[in-house]
């Protein structure tokens, strides 16, 4: 962000192709993999650890549709992974972005103001080569640039196949990944994605749109117009009582990924399957459905079925969307998932924020943090 305008003009933004994977650093990767396999339906596809020559950590790779999660835990109390887990609890360490040329992406990003945290490196095995590099984003979160060349292995050199089917619940691809940042920092990070990555900022909410009685947040959405990678950024707004974003920041000890939204083509069957498998979702109050009015007019789904599943509905001029949020996936009130089905609507559920926040705040109050 410190570079001059002249530099920005000279160096084009990194060319991104999509999300390669999201890596979570967790306290116990084996049990986290069990959770995401059994509750979320992911297939376990690869493993790295002492048996594959990695001495200090264990990693499981999970896949469903195009969504790839890497779950990594430390094997020893020392080191970067252990430090991260001690400070933040389980959380997202890296949003890895697929590129055609990792070195060029890294050079472009750093020339345009990103802080490099990993120089371009090529790793190889009998299946080919992967080149990757890393830059910092908010908090301790990083972006990897991943160039897969013609790599034909299951994930990455150092991993072995570990095929255990999870059955799937219809999760297809990541729709967006949301960052929570400190009060007053949202615009800095939106500017970061605009200046470094060439993203456009195309929609925003402020505390007037989404305030509830007790708390509020501000949100802007940064999106890559080419790859459609989308990063909404939230910051707390000053409410009467603690914002849910502030609660996240307190427990995560700083900025980090708040939620990962995954698209499904059939939210009713996906959410029903996830509920059967034990995933816990936020529930919407009955009053939410009673008050839907014209927002629910002309939808293809059975409204009673949506209400029974607590699926939320929002619409804009282009259509509607259906969405639901899980409870936090760990003990700390930090990371959660969203399941989303878009039927034309390009928004993020602005009309649901109030109903959603009231539901979140009931939980926050139960934890004594409101
Ligand atoms: Fe979302």
């Amino acid at each position: 962000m410190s570079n001059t305008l002249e530099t920005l003009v000279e160096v084009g933004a990194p060319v991104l192709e999509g999300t390669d994977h999201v890596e979570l650093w967790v306290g116990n990767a084996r049990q986290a993999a069990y959770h995401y396999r059994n509750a979320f339906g992911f297939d376990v596809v690869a493993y790295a650890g002492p048996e594959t020559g990695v001495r200090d950590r264990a990693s499981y790779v999970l896949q469903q549709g195009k969504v790839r999660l890497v779950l990594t835990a430390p094997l020893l109390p020392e080191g970067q992974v252990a430090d991260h887990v001690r400070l933040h609890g389980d959380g997202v360490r890296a949003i890895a972005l697929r590129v055609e040329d990792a070195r060029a992406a890294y050079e472009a990003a750093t020339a345009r103001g990103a802080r490099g945290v990993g120089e371009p490196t090529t790793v190889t095995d009998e299946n080919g080569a992967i080149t990757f590099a890393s830059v910092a984003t908010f908090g301790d979160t990083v972006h990897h640039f991943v160039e897969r060349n013609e790599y034909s292995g299951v994930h990455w050199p150092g991993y072995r196949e570990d095929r255990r089917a999870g059955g799937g619940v219809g999760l297809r691809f990541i729709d967006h990944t949301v960052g929570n940042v400190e009060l007053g920092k949202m615009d800095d990070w939106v500017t970061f994605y605009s200046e470094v990555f060439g993203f456009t900022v195309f929609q925003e909410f402020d505390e007037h749109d989404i305030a509830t009685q007790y708390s509020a947040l501000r949100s802007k959405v940064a999106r890559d117009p080419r790859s459609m990678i989308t990063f909404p950024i939230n910051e707390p707004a000053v409410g009467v009582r603690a914002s849910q974003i502030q609660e996240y920041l307190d427990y995560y000890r700083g900025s980090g990924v708040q939620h990962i939204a995954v698209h499904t083509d059939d939210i009713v069957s996906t959410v029903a399957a996830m509920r059967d498998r034990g995933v816990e979702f936020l529930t919407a109050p009955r009053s939410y459905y009673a008050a839907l009015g014209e927002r629910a007019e002309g939808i293809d789904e059975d409204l009673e079925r949506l209400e029974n599943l607590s699926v939320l509905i929002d619409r804009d001029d282009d259509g509607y969307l259906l969405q639901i949020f899980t409870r936090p996936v760990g003990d700390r009130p930090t990371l959660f998932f969203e399941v989303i089905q878009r039927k034309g609507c390009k928004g993020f559920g602005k009309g649901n924020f109030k109903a959603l926040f009231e539901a979140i705040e009931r939980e926050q109050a139960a934890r004594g943090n409101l």
Side-chain angles (χ1 to χ4, degrees):
M1 273 177 279
S2 58
N3 289 67
T4 63
L5 189 62
E6 206 175 327
T7 315
L8 298 181
V9 172
E10 280 170 11
V11 183
V15 181
L16 310 177
E17 298 180 327
T19 305
D20 188 85
H21 65 272
V22 176
E23 181 162 5
L24 284 75
W25 281 0
V26 300
N28 187 327
R30 184 194 295 263
Q31 290 192 3
Y34 184 87
H35 175 75
Y36 286 107
R37 179 183 171 213
N38 288 280
F40 282 71
F42 281 87
D43 296 330
V44 176
V45 298
Y47 167 79
E51 298 85 346
T52 70
V54 179
R55 302 307 303 171
D56 65 340
R57 59 183 73 184
S59 297
Y60 293 82
V61 181
L62 286 85
Q63 181 94 32
Q64 185 169 176
K66 290 165 122 179
V67 186
R68 174 163 286 205
L69 301 180
V70 179
L71 308 169
T72 294
L75 297 178
L76 301 164
E78 302 83 17
Q80 204 183 11
V81 184
D83 289 348
H84 195 278
V85 171
R86 186 186 55 76
L87 184 63
H88 300 299
D90 290 6
V92 172
R93 164 62 176 177
I95 302 169
L97 308 171
R98 186 83 63 89
V99 296
E100 208 170 270
D101 185 336
R103 180 172 296 277
Y106 178 82
E107 282 168 4
T110 52
R112 292 167 66 98
R115 180 167 59 88
V117 291
E119 296 268 333
T121 304
T122 299
V123 285
T124 58
D125 66 9
E126 67 277 13
N127 299 306
I130 286 178
T131 302
F132 67 101
S134 309
V135 297
T137 180
F138 45 77
D140 285 333
T141 316
V142 302
H143 288 303
H144 301 315
F145 297 118
V146 180
E147 172 189 340
R148 290 195 167 272
N149 303 305
E150 304 286 294
Y151 187 73
S152 64
V154 64
H155 176 61
W156 203 277
Y159 283 76
R160 72 178 186 198
E161 271 196 42
D162 178 7
R163 296 277 178 196
R164 285 176 287 150
V169 296
L171 301 177
R172 287 197 49 220
F173 57 86
I174 293 177
D175 185 275
H176 58 276
T177 309
V178 180
N180 281 346
V181 302
E182 288 92 349
L183 182 65
K185 299 293 185 197
M186 175 186 69
D187 282 321
D188 291 351
W189 286 107
V190 170
T191 301
F192 169 84
Y193 281 106
S194 166
E195 289 190 352
V196 171
F197 289 95
F199 284 18
T200 50
V201 179
F202 72 97
Q203 192 177 350
E204 58 181 283
F205 322 128
D206 64 21
E207 53 268 54
H208 305 296
D209 288 319
I210 52 186
T212 59
Q213 185 183 356
Y214 295 115
S215 67
L217 64 75
R218 305 176 68 221
S219 185
K220 287 189 178 177
V221 180
R223 170 175 287 170
D224 182 1
R226 286 176 290 203
S227 66
M228 301 301 279
I229 291 170
T230 305
F231 297 136
I233 306 285
N234 298 330
E235 70 177 9
V238 181
V240 177
R241 303 172 88 165
S243 166
Q244 53 146 318
I245 309 305
Q246 191 58 51
E247 187 195 37
Y248 174 102
L249 297 168
D250 291 345
Y251 278 88
Y252 199 71
R253 291 299 167 96
S255 302
V257 171
Q258 179 206 38
H259 74 266
I260 301 166
V262 185
H263 193 273
T264 171
D265 292 334
D266 181 356
I267 199 166
V268 168
S269 70
T270 296
V271 171
M274 290 172 79
R275 284 191 183 281
D276 283 348
R277 288 161 167 265
V279 177
E280 296 176 83
F281 291 96
L282 295 184
T283 55
R286 278 214 169 262
S287 56
Y288 167 83
Y289 293 92
L292 267 177
E294 61 186 26
R295 265 199 295 161
E297 266 172 33
I299 62 169
D300 301 329
E301 294 73 15
D302 175 27
L303 191 57
E304 201 175 310
R305 184 87 171 116
L306 297 178
E307 179 171 351
N308 288 337
L309 293 169
S310 262
V311 171
L312 307 174
I313 305 157
D314 197 19
R315 64 164 68 242
D316 63 14
D317 293 342
D318 299 314
Y320 66 98
L321 66 75
L322 303 167
Q323 66 184 167
I324 191 167
F325 301 87
T326 73
R327 298 187 65 220
V329 288
D331 298 304
R332 299 195 200 190
T334 54
L335 176 68
F336 60 88
F337 282 73
E338 172 183 352
V339 180
I340 184 166
Q341 180 178 5
R342 292 186 184 278
K343 295 203 158 177
C345 179
K346 297 182 179 73
F348 295 85
K350 174 173 161 176
N352 286 322
F353 276 35
K354 192 171 163 67
L356 166 69
F357 290 174
E358 284 165 355
I360 289 176
E361 284 164 8
R362 281 197 301 277
E363 298 217 333
Q364 211 179 325
R367 292 188 288 266
N369 292 328
L370 187 65

